[in-house]
Amino acid sequence: SDYQQLGYNLRVNLFQGGPLKSRSLMKDSYTPDVFQKAVIDPRHWHGRTINEIGRWYEKYFLDVNVQKAMKEKYG
């Protein structure tokens, strides 16, 4: 029956799950010295400083709030 077949699969451990060692394309593409030379600077993220990103978000949310207010006032 289906129940016995499911029990067999669970006993045999056909559903083993994910691999124990994960691999990534980035780590496979570069040599280890690239990661050793890399300097992580939290203030400089993808060519932009956090201050620039913060200012952009402030302007963006100010614009969104102004649009909401205009829509509420004028429809």
Side-chain angles (χ1 to χ4, degrees), residues 29-63:
S29 299
Y30 295 103
T31 56
D33 65 317
V34 171
F35 297 105
Q36 292 168 356
K37 292 178 186 175
V39 177
I40 299 173
D41 185 7
R43 293 174 298 166
H44 192 267
W45 182 73
H46 289 287
R48 293 182 176 165
T49 61
I50 297 300
N51 292 338
E52 289 174 5
I53 294 173
R55 280 194 293 265
W56 184 88
Y57 272 106
E58 285 176 4
K59 290 178 184 177
Y60 172 73
F61 285 115
L62 180 65
D63 184 49

Side-chain angles (χ1 to χ4, degrees), residues 6-32:
L6 179 62
Y8 171 75
N9 289 335
L10 292 173
R11 285 193 306 275
V12 173
N13 196 16
L14 293 177
F15 311 113
Q16 297 176 10
L20 296 176
K21 183 179 178 185
S22 64
R23 298 181 59 169
S24 72
L25 180 62
M26 188 174 80
K27 286 187 178 179
D28 291 343
S29 299
Y30 295 103
T31 56

